[in-house]
């Protein structure tokens, strides 16, 4: 199975991607996490990434696309947080995705969740102003992405308990597993 999971910030992509990877024995590629780890190494690339992520902007495509191609196997994977803009769609084509899971969540709930996460994890991009930039970028880029994947999309209501969201995703993925 070749999967991607996308959605508005705070919709639970990371949490669900972990559960899906475990259940279906897939490699998880968490783009945001890999980028944050690069920042922690204090490398030159990390310094560049920090500037973008601090502002809530998308990391440069050159870095992201290379990282995605390097870390993604031929099959049995779930990529979390990719693609996020039009140019990344080109690279996404090379991954030959079977399905794209879209997690939805109302903005009011997004702000509530991210505020809570900021207190718990202190992520550099969870600050109030940074979040607003990320939400603007989401509004700008996601309609194209959703349209592009319309035949592969599994739309899931992310405004439910972790367990229920996972149950809904699992039900959909089992359908495609049965077909293959
Ligand atoms: P996430 O952990 O998925 O919420 O991503 C956190 C941050 O990492 C984003 O706000 C971006 O700055 C960066 N990032 C994650 N995925 C991508 C991507 N596909 N392209 C560019 N930047 C990304």
């Amino acid at each position: 199975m070749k999967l991607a999971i996308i959605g508005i910030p705070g919709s639970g992509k990371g949490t669900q991607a972990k559960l899906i990877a475990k259940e279906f024995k897939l490699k998880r590629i968490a783009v945001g996490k890999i980028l944050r780890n690069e920042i922690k190494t204090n490398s030159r690339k990390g310094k560049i990434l920090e500037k973008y992520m601090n502002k809530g902007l998308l990391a440069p495509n050159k870095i992201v696309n290379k990282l995605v191609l390097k870390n993604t196997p031929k099959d049995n994977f779930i990529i979390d947080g990719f693609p996020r803009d039009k140019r990344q769609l080109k690279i996404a084509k090379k991954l030959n995705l079977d399905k794209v899971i879209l997690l939805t969540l109302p903005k009011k709930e997004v702000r509530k969740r991210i505020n809570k996460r900021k207190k718990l994890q202190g992520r550099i991009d969870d600050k109030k102003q940074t979040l607003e930039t990320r939400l603007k970028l989401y509004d700008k880029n996601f309609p194209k992405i959703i349209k592009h994947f319309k035949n592969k999309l599994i739309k899931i209501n992310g405004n439910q308990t972790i367990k229920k969201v996972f149950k809904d995703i699992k039900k959909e993925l089992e359908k495609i597993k049965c077909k293959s």
Side-chain angles (χ1 to χ4, degrees), residues 36-165:
R36 281 192 293 278
N37 286 342
E38 183 71 40
I39 293 177
K40 283 189 200 145
T41 67
N42 266 326
S43 65
R44 216 170 72 96
K45 206 198 283 170
K47 293 260 177 280
I48 300 171
L49 289 172
E50 195 174 15
K51 278 190 197 152
Y52 284 86
M53 289 171 78
N54 254 332
K55 290 183 192 144
L57 299 173
L58 292 180
N61 271 322
K62 214 172 148 189
I63 298 180
V64 174
N65 290 341
K66 209 165 145 189
L67 179 156
V68 165
L69 291 175
K70 188 178 141 208
N71 285 283
T72 312
K74 282 219 150 22
D75 201 356
N76 300 316
F77 66 83
I78 177 158
I79 187 158
D80 157 6
F82 185 89
R84 287 208 195 204
D85 74 3
K86 212 173 151 192
R87 280 196 289 162
Q88 292 181 4
L89 279 177
K90 279 192 196 149
I91 303 295
K93 263 190 195 158
K94 293 190 189 176
L95 304 182
N96 231 338
L97 296 166
D98 297 313
K99 291 284 172 193
V100 175
I101 302 161
L102 168 71
L103 293 181
T104 63
L105 191 69
K107 288 218 176 93
K108 199 175 155 206
E109 192 59 32
V110 167
R111 292 189 178 94
K112 235 162 71 187
R113 284 192 188 180
I114 299 281
N115 194 30
K116 200 166 148 199
R117 186 167 73 183
K118 191 179 110 205
K119 288 187 186 128
L120 289 173
Q121 299 177 7
R123 253 175 64 166
I124 57 167
D125 52 351
D126 279 347
K127 284 174 284 188
K128 210 170 169 201
Q129 195 48 48
T130 313
L131 174 64
E132 293 311 314
T133 308
R134 288 164 67 200
L135 292 181
K136 268 192 204 142
L137 274 176
Y138 174 84
D139 286 339
K140 182 175 167 242
N141 293 325
F142 264 65
K144 283 183 208 114
I145 292 175
I146 292 168
K147 196 172 162 205
H148 178 89
F149 287 119
K150 65 178 186 299
N151 297 326
K152 293 186 175 183
L153 214 62
I154 298 177
K155 194 172 167 185
I156 301 285
N157 175 12
N159 200 9
Q160 312 181 88
T161 62
I162 293 174
K163 216 170 148 184
K164 178 67 170 63
V165 173

